[in-house]
PDB file of all heavy atoms in Angstrom:
ATOM      1  N   PRO A   1      97.443 171.134 241.772  1.00  0.00           N
ATOM      2  CA  PRO A   1      98.294 172.326 241.895  1.00  0.00           C
ATOM      3  C   PRO A   1      99.502 172.302 240.962  1.00  0.00           C
ATOM      4  O   PRO A   1      99.913 173.353 240.457  1.00  0.00           O
ATOM      5  CB  PRO A   1      98.724 172.299 243.372  1.00  0.00           C
ATOM      6  CG  PRO A   1      97.632 171.555 244.066  1.00  0.00           C
ATOM      7  CD  PRO A   1      97.212 170.503 243.086  1.00  0.00           C
ATOM      8  N   TRP A   2     100.077 171.115 240.729  1.00  0.00           N
ATOM      9  CA  TRP A   2     101.220 171.032 239.816  1.00  0.00           C
ATOM     10  C   TRP A   2     100.786 171.291 238.380  1.00  0.00           C
ATOM     11  O   TRP A   2     101.501 171.926 237.607  1.00  0.00           O
ATOM     12  CB  TRP A   2     101.890 169.667 239.926  1.00  0.00           C
ATOM     13  CG  TRP A   2     102.635 169.473 241.206  1.00  0.00           C
ATOM     14  CD1 TRP A   2     102.807 170.389 242.211  1.00  0.00           C
ATOM     15  CD2 TRP A   2     103.313 168.286 241.624  1.00  0.00           C
ATOM     16  NE1 TRP A   2     103.541 169.838 243.224  1.00  0.00           N
ATOM     17  CE2 TRP A   2     103.875 168.557 242.900  1.00  0.00           C
ATOM     18  CE3 TRP A   2     103.489 167.035 241.065  1.00  0.00           C
ATOM     19  CZ2 TRP A   2     104.602 167.605 243.612  1.00  0.00           C
ATOM     20  CZ3 TRP A   2     104.226 166.084 241.770  1.00  0.00           C
ATOM     21  CH2 TRP A   2     104.773 166.371 243.018  1.00  0.00           C
ATOM     22  N   THR A   3      99.591 170.785 238.033  1.00  0.00           N
ATOM     23  CA  THR A   3      99.067 171.031 236.687  1.00  0.00           C
ATOM     24  C   THR A   3      98.760 172.513 236.496  1.00  0.00           C
ATOM     25  O   THR A   3      99.072 173.099 235.447  1.00  0.00           O
ATOM     26  CB  THR A   3      97.803 170.197 236.454  1.00  0.00           C
ATOM     27  OG1 THR A   3      98.114 168.819 236.668  1.00  0.00           O
ATOM     28  CG2 THR A   3      97.272 170.378 235.041  1.00  0.00           C
ATOM     29  N   GLU A   4      98.154 173.131 237.510  1.00  0.00           N
ATOM     30  CA  GLU A   4      97.840 174.558 237.421  1.00  0.00           C
ATOM     31  C   GLU A   4      99.107 175.392 237.307  1.00  0.00           C
ATOM     32  O   GLU A   4      99.152 176.375 236.565  1.00  0.00           O
ATOM     33  CB  GLU A   4      97.019 174.989 238.637  1.00  0.00           C
ATOM     34  CG  GLU A   4      95.607 174.406 238.645  1.00  0.00           C
ATOM     35  CD  GLU A   4      94.854 174.707 239.920  1.00  0.00           C
ATOM     36  OE1 GLU A   4      95.517 174.949 240.970  1.00  0.00           O
ATOM     37  OE2 GLU A   4      93.612 174.687 239.894  1.00  0.00           O
ATOM     38  N   ARG A   5     100.149 174.981 238.037  1.00  0.00           N
ATOM     39  CA  ARG A   5     101.418 175.707 237.926  1.00  0.00           C
ATOM     40  C   ARG A   5     101.986 175.583 236.524  1.00  0.00           C
ATOM     41  O   ARG A   5     102.459 176.571 235.943  1.00  0.00           O
ATOM     42  CB  ARG A   5     102.424 175.171 238.944  1.00  0.00           C
ATOM     43  CG  ARG A   5     103.795 175.812 238.809  1.00  0.00           C
ATOM     44  CD  ARG A   5     104.760 175.356 239.872  1.00  0.00           C
ATOM     45  NE  ARG A   5     106.101 175.870 239.614  1.00  0.00           N
ATOM     46  CZ  ARG A   5     107.116 175.754 240.458  1.00  0.00           C
ATOM     47  NH1 ARG A   5     106.948 175.138 241.612  1.00  0.00           N
ATOM     48  NH2 ARG A   5     108.305 176.240 240.145  1.00  0.00           N
ATOM     49  N   ALA A   6     101.939 174.384 235.960  1.00  0.00           N
ATOM     50  CA  ALA A   6     102.450 174.195 234.604  1.00  0.00           C
ATOM     51  C   ALA A   6     101.689 175.062 233.607  1.00  0.00           C
ATOM     52  O   ALA A   6     102.279 175.648 232.694  1.00  0.00           O
ATOM     53  CB  ALA A   6     102.362 172.721 234.205  1.00  0.00           C
ATOM     54  N   LEU A   7     100.370 175.159 233.781  1.00  0.00           N
ATOM     55  CA  LEU A   7      99.565 175.992 232.883  1.00  0.00           C
ATOM     56  C   LEU A   7      99.930 177.465 233.025  1.00  0.00           C
ATOM     57  O   LEU A   7     100.006 178.194 232.026  1.00  0.00           O
ATOM     58  CB  LEU A   7      98.080 175.767 233.161  1.00  0.00           C
ATOM     59  CG  LEU A   7      97.533 174.413 232.691  1.00  0.00           C
ATOM     60  CD1 LEU A   7      96.151 174.164 233.276  1.00  0.00           C
ATOM     61  CD2 LEU A   7      97.486 174.368 231.165  1.00  0.00           C
ATOM     62  N   ARG A   8     100.156 177.910 234.274  1.00  0.00           N
ATOM     63  CA  ARG A   8     100.581 179.306 234.466  1.00  0.00           C
ATOM     64  C   ARG A   8     101.925 179.554 233.801  1.00  0.00           C
ATOM     65  O   ARG A   8     102.148 180.615 233.195  1.00  0.00           O
ATOM     66  CB  ARG A   8     100.673 179.631 235.963  1.00  0.00           C
ATOM     67  CG  ARG A   8      99.338 179.731 236.682  1.00  0.00           C
ATOM     68  CD  ARG A   8      99.497 180.410 238.034  1.00  0.00           C
ATOM     69  NE  ARG A   8     100.441 179.711 238.909  1.00  0.00           N
ATOM     70  CZ  ARG A   8     100.109 178.720 239.737  1.00  0.00           C
ATOM     71  NH1 ARG A   8      98.847 178.300 239.794  1.00  0.00           N
ATOM     72  NH2 ARG A   8     101.015 178.160 240.510  1.00  0.00           N
ATOM     73  N   GLU A   9     102.809 178.581 233.903  1.00  0.00           N
ATOM     74  CA  GLU A   9     104.126 178.753 233.292  1.00  0.00           C
ATOM     75  C   GLU A   9     104.040 178.740 231.769  1.00  0.00           C
ATOM     76  O   GLU A   9     104.836 179.394 231.096  1.00  0.00           O
ATOM     77  CB  GLU A   9     105.082 177.684 233.823  1.00  0.00           C
ATOM     78  CG  GLU A   9     105.432 177.922 235.287  1.00  0.00           C
ATOM     79  CD  GLU A   9     106.349 176.885 235.891  1.00  0.00           C
ATOM     80  OE1 GLU A   9     106.508 175.784 235.307  1.00  0.00           O
ATOM     81  OE2 GLU A   9     106.910 177.164 236.970  1.00  0.00           O
ATOM     82  N   CYS A  10     103.080 178.008 231.217  1.00  0.00           N
ATOM     83  CA  CYS A  10     102.861 178.075 229.769  1.00  0.00           C
ATOM     84  C   CYS A  10     102.447 179.486 229.369  1.00  0.00           C
ATOM     85  O   CYS A  10     102.890 180.002 228.322  1.00  0.00           O
ATOM     86  CB  CYS A  10     101.796 177.066 229.345  1.00  0.00           C
ATOM     87  SG  CYS A  10     102.366 175.344 229.321  1.00  0.00           S
ATOM     88  N   LYS A  11     101.601 180.116 230.174  1.00  0.00           N
ATOM     89  CA  LYS A  11     101.198 181.499 229.879  1.00  0.00           C
ATOM     90  C   LYS A  11     102.394 182.439 229.993  1.00  0.00           C
ATOM     91  O   LYS A  11     102.588 183.338 229.156  1.00  0.00           O
ATOM     92  CB  LYS A  11     100.092 181.942 230.847  1.00  0.00           C
ATOM     93  CG  LYS A  11      98.778 181.202 230.690  1.00  0.00           C
ATOM     94  CD  LYS A  11      98.154 181.455 229.332  1.00  0.00           C
ATOM     95  CE  LYS A  11      96.786 180.789 229.233  1.00  0.00           C
ATOM     96  NZ  LYS A  11      96.203 180.902 227.861  1.00  0.00           N
ATOM     97  N   GLY A  12     103.204 182.243 231.036  1.00  0.00           N
ATOM     98  CA  GLY A  12     104.392 183.071 231.180  1.00  0.00           C
ATOM     99  C   GLY A  12     105.358 182.885 230.023  1.00  0.00           C
ATOM    100  O   GLY A  12     105.990 183.845 229.561  1.00  0.00           O
ATOM    101  N   ALA A  13     105.463 181.648 229.546  1.00  0.00           N
ATOM    102  CA  ALA A  13     106.348 181.364 228.414  1.00  0.00           C
ATOM    103  C   ALA A  13     105.896 182.109 227.167  1.00  0.00           C
ATOM    104  O   ALA A  13     106.732 182.564 226.369  1.00  0.00           O
ATOM    105  CB  ALA A  13     106.387 179.862 228.145  1.00  0.00           C
ATOM    106  N   GLN A  14     104.595 182.248 226.995  1.00  0.00           N
ATOM    107  CA  GLN A  14     104.090 182.976 225.827  1.00  0.00           C
ATOM    108  C   GLN A  14     104.578 184.417 225.838  1.00  0.00           C
ATOM    109  O   GLN A  14     104.939 184.967 224.791  1.00  0.00           O
ATOM    110  CB  GLN A  14     102.566 182.919 225.808  1.00  0.00           C
ATOM    111  CG  GLN A  14     102.005 181.532 225.528  1.00  0.00           C
ATOM    112  CD  GLN A  14     100.495 181.470 225.683  1.00  0.00           C
ATOM    113  OE1 GLN A  14      99.830 182.508 225.786  1.00  0.00           O
ATOM    114  NE2 GLN A  14      99.950 180.267 225.708  1.00  0.00           N
ATOM    115  N   ALA A  15     104.607 185.018 227.026  1.00  0.00           N
ATOM    116  CA  ALA A  15     105.091 186.400 227.121  1.00  0.00           C
ATOM    117  C   ALA A  15     106.602 186.456 226.916  1.00  0.00           C
ATOM    118  O   ALA A  15     107.110 187.309 226.174  1.00  0.00           O
ATOM    119  CB  ALA A  15     104.717 186.986 228.481  1.00  0.00           C
ATOM    120  N   PHE A  16     107.323 185.538 227.552  1.00  0.00           N
ATOM    121  CA  PHE A  16     108.782 185.589 227.468  1.00  0.00           C
ATOM    122  C   PHE A  16     109.278 185.324 226.060  1.00  0.00           C
ATOM    123  O   PHE A  16     110.184 186.021 225.564  1.00  0.00           O
ATOM    124  CB  PHE A  16     109.405 184.593 228.441  1.00  0.00           C
ATOM    125  CG  PHE A  16     110.903 184.507 228.334  1.00  0.00           C
ATOM    126  CD1 PHE A  16     111.690 185.612 228.628  1.00  0.00           C
ATOM    127  CD2 PHE A  16     111.520 183.346 227.913  1.00  0.00           C
ATOM    128  CE1 PHE A  16     113.072 185.550 228.526  1.00  0.00           C
ATOM    129  CE2 PHE A  16     112.898 183.275 227.805  1.00  0.00           C
ATOM    130  CZ  PHE A  16     113.683 184.383 228.110  1.00  0.00           C
ATOM    131  N   PHE A  17     108.714 184.316 225.394  1.00  0.00           N
ATOM    132  CA  PHE A  17     109.215 183.949 224.071  1.00  0.00           C
ATOM    133  C   PHE A  17     108.639 184.821 222.950  1.00  0.00           C
ATOM    134  O   PHE A  17     108.978 184.619 221.789  1.00  0.00           O
ATOM    135  CB  PHE A  17     108.953 182.471 223.801  1.00  0.00           C
ATOM    136  CG  PHE A  17     109.801 181.556 224.642  1.00  0.00           C
ATOM    137  CD1 PHE A  17     109.232 180.780 225.635  1.00  0.00           C
ATOM    138  CD2 PHE A  17     111.170 181.497 224.462  1.00  0.00           C
ATOM    139  CE1 PHE A  17     110.007 179.947 226.431  1.00  0.00           C
ATOM    140  CE2 PHE A  17     111.961 180.682 225.251  1.00  0.00           C
ATOM    141  CZ  PHE A  17     111.378 179.900 226.242  1.00  0.00           C
ATOM    142  N   SER A  18     107.804 185.775 223.308  1.00  0.00           N
ATOM    143  CA  SER A  18     107.347 186.751 222.310  1.00  0.00           C
ATOM    144  C   SER A  18     108.024 188.089 222.599  1.00  0.00           C
ATOM    145  O   SER A  18     109.129 188.356 222.126  1.00  0.00           O
ATOM    146  CB  SER A  18     105.819 186.864 222.317  1.00  0.00           C
ATOM    147  OG  SER A  18     105.333 187.149 223.627  1.00  0.00           O
ATOM    148  N   SER A  19     107.412 188.939 223.417  1.00  0.00           N
ATOM    149  CA  SER A  19     107.977 190.267 223.661  1.00  0.00           C
ATOM    150  C   SER A  19     109.285 190.204 224.442  1.00  0.00           C
ATOM    151  O   SER A  19     110.177 191.047 224.238  1.00  0.00           O
ATOM    152  CB  SER A  19     106.958 191.134 224.403  1.00  0.00           C
ATOM    153  OG  SER A  19     106.605 190.545 225.642  1.00  0.00           O
ATOM    154  N   GLY A  20     109.427 189.218 225.337  1.00  0.00           N
ATOM    155  CA  GLY A  20     110.651 189.116 226.124  1.00  0.00           C
ATOM    156  C   GLY A  20     111.871 188.862 225.261  1.00  0.00           C
ATOM    157  O   GLY A  20     112.908 189.518 225.419  1.00  0.00           O
ATOM    158  N   ILE A  21     111.767 187.927 224.358  1.00  0.00           N
ATOM    159  CA  ILE A  21     112.889 187.632 223.460  1.00  0.00           C
ATOM    160  C   ILE A  21     113.167 188.814 222.535  1.00  0.00           C
ATOM    161  O   ILE A  21     114.329 189.132 222.243  1.00  0.00           O
ATOM    162  CB  ILE A  21     112.612 186.355 222.648  1.00  0.00           C
ATOM    163  CG1 ILE A  21     112.703 185.121 223.549  1.00  0.00           C
ATOM    164  CG2 ILE A  21     113.576 186.231 221.468  1.00  0.00           C
ATOM    165  CD1 ILE A  21     114.098 184.843 224.092  1.00  0.00           C
ATOM    166  N   ASP A  22     112.117 189.479 222.090  1.00  0.00           N
ATOM    167  CA  ASP A  22     112.322 190.643 221.226  1.00  0.00           C
ATOM    168  C   ASP A  22     113.104 191.737 221.957  1.00  0.00           C
ATOM    169  O   ASP A  22     113.969 192.400 221.363  1.00  0.00           O
ATOM    170  CB  ASP A  22     110.983 191.193 220.750  1.00  0.00           C
ATOM    171  CG  ASP A  22     110.307 190.282 219.725  1.00  0.00           C
ATOM    172  OD1 ASP A  22     111.015 189.462 219.102  1.00  0.00           O
ATOM    173  OD2 ASP A  22     109.082 190.399 219.558  1.00  0.00           O
ATOM    174  N   THR A  23     112.796 191.940 223.236  1.00  0.00           N
ATOM    175  CA  THR A  23     113.517 192.935 224.034  1.00  0.00           C
ATOM    176  C   THR A  23     114.980 192.557 224.165  1.00  0.00           C
ATOM    177  O   THR A  23     115.880 193.397 224.010  1.00  0.00           O
ATOM    178  CB  THR A  23     112.883 193.073 225.423  1.00  0.00           C
ATOM    179  OG1 THR A  23     111.521 193.507 225.285  1.00  0.00           O
ATOM    180  CG2 THR A  23     113.648 194.071 226.280  1.00  0.00           C
ATOM    181  N   LEU A  24     115.249 191.283 224.453  1.00  0.00           N
ATOM    182  CA  LEU A  24     116.630 190.821 224.559  1.00  0.00           C
ATOM    183  C   LEU A  24     117.359 190.945 223.222  1.00  0.00           C
ATOM    184  O   LEU A  24     118.507 191.382 223.165  1.00  0.00           O
ATOM    185  CB  LEU A  24     116.655 189.361 225.026  1.00  0.00           C
ATOM    186  CG  LEU A  24     116.335 189.107 226.495  1.00  0.00           C
ATOM    187  CD1 LEU A  24     116.121 187.613 226.732  1.00  0.00           C
ATOM    188  CD2 LEU A  24     117.465 189.623 227.383  1.00  0.00           C
ATOM    189  N   ALA A  25     116.687 190.548 222.150  1.00  0.00           N
ATOM    190  CA  ALA A  25     117.330 190.532 220.828  1.00  0.00           C
ATOM    191  C   ALA A  25     117.718 191.916 220.365  1.00  0.00           C
ATOM    192  O   ALA A  25     118.651 192.064 219.546  1.00  0.00           O
ATOM    193  CB  ALA A  25     116.391 189.886 219.816  1.00  0.00           C
ATOM    194  N   ALA A  26     117.056 192.949 220.879  1.00  0.00           N
ATOM    195  CA  ALA A  26     117.372 194.318 220.470  1.00  0.00           C
ATOM    196  C   ALA A  26     118.797 194.713 220.852  1.00  0.00           C
ATOM    197  O   ALA A  26     119.352 195.670 220.300  1.00  0.00           O
ATOM    198  CB  ALA A  26     116.373 195.289 221.093  1.00  0.00           C
ATOM    199  N   GLN A  27     119.418 193.963 221.770  1.00  0.00           N
ATOM    200  CA  GLN A  27     120.792 194.277 222.176  1.00  0.00           C
ATOM    201  C   GLN A  27     121.794 193.998 221.055  1.00  0.00           C
ATOM    202  O   GLN A  27     122.883 194.569 221.049  1.00  0.00           O
ATOM    203  CB  GLN A  27     121.179 193.448 223.406  1.00  0.00           C
ATOM    204  CG  GLN A  27     120.344 193.729 224.638  1.00  0.00           C
ATOM    205  CD  GLN A  27     120.817 192.914 225.825  1.00  0.00           C
ATOM    206  OE1 GLN A  27     122.008 192.885 226.143  1.00  0.00           O
ATOM    207  NE2 GLN A  27     119.893 192.244 226.489  1.00  0.00           N
ATOM    208  N   ASP A  28     121.443 193.101 220.140  1.00  0.00           N
ATOM    209  CA  ASP A  28     122.386 192.734 219.070  1.00  0.00           C
ATOM    210  C   ASP A  28     121.592 192.398 217.813  1.00  0.00           C
ATOM    211  O   ASP A  28     121.149 191.260 217.631  1.00  0.00           O
ATOM    212  CB  ASP A  28     123.234 191.540 219.508  1.00  0.00           C
ATOM    213  CG  ASP A  28     124.331 191.218 218.496  1.00  0.00           C
ATOM    214  OD1 ASP A  28     124.276 191.705 217.356  1.00  0.00           O
ATOM    215  OD2 ASP A  28     125.243 190.450 218.858  1.00  0.00           O
ATOM    216  N   PRO A  29     121.381 193.358 216.932  1.00  0.00           N
ATOM    217  CA  PRO A  29     120.590 193.121 215.732  1.00  0.00           C
ATOM    218  C   PRO A  29     121.105 191.969 214.875  1.00  0.00           C
ATOM    219  O   PRO A  29     120.339 191.358 214.128  1.00  0.00           O
ATOM    220  CB  PRO A  29     120.674 194.458 214.985  1.00  0.00           C
ATOM    221  CG  PRO A  29     120.937 195.467 216.060  1.00  0.00           C
ATOM    222  CD  PRO A  29     121.805 194.770 217.050  1.00  0.00           C
ATOM    223  N   SER A  30     122.385 191.643 214.974  1.00  0.00           N
ATOM    224  CA  SER A  30     122.937 190.597 214.122  1.00  0.00           C
ATOM    225  C   SER A  30     122.367 189.218 214.457  1.00  0.00           C
ATOM    226  O   SER A  30     122.335 188.337 213.592  1.00  0.00           O
ATOM    227  CB  SER A  30     124.465 190.560 214.235  1.00  0.00           C
ATOM    228  OG  SER A  30     124.876 190.094 215.517  1.00  0.00           O
ATOM    229  N   VAL A  31     121.932 189.017 215.700  1.00  0.00           N
ATOM    230  CA  VAL A  31     121.370 187.711 216.091  1.00  0.00           C
ATOM    231  C   VAL A  31     119.858 187.759 216.226  1.00  0.00           C
ATOM    232  O   VAL A  31     119.228 186.749 216.519  1.00  0.00           O
ATOM    233  CB  VAL A  31     121.996 187.211 217.417  1.00  0.00           C
ATOM    234  CG1 VAL A  31     123.492 187.033 217.269  1.00  0.00           C
ATOM    235  CG2 VAL A  31     121.673 188.154 218.567  1.00  0.00           C
ATOM    236  N   GLN A  32     119.286 188.939 215.989  1.00  0.00           N
ATOM    237  CA  GLN A  32     117.850 189.103 216.192  1.00  0.00           C
ATOM    238  C   GLN A  32     117.006 188.139 215.347  1.00  0.00           C
ATOM    239  O   GLN A  32     116.084 187.491 215.885  1.00  0.00           O
ATOM    240  CB  GLN A  32     117.450 190.550 215.908  1.00  0.00           C
ATOM    241  CG  GLN A  32     116.034 190.896 216.352  1.00  0.00           C
ATOM    242  CD  GLN A  32     115.803 192.404 216.332  1.00  0.00           C
ATOM    243  OE1 GLN A  32     116.631 193.172 215.818  1.00  0.00           O
ATOM    244  NE2 GLN A  32     114.697 192.841 216.909  1.00  0.00           N
TER     245      GLN A  32
END
């Protein structure tokens, strides 16, 4: 179960560090 959770979090990280970061970065183009 801990391994499966880590794998799910890896999938979640893919979403956050792609489209999620892009959404956040739109608040300040200078740091985008």
Side-chain angles (χ1 to χ4, degrees):
W2 289 357
T3 303
E4 291 174 336
R5 176 176 173 172
L7 288 168
R8 289 195 302 272
E9 290 179 344
C10 285
K11 294 296 184 186
Q14 291 173 12
F16 175 64
F17 290 111
S18 54
S19 59
I21 288 294
D22 288 339
T23 299
L24 286 168
Q27 297 182 50
D28 186 345
S30 69
V31 299
Q32 191 167 10

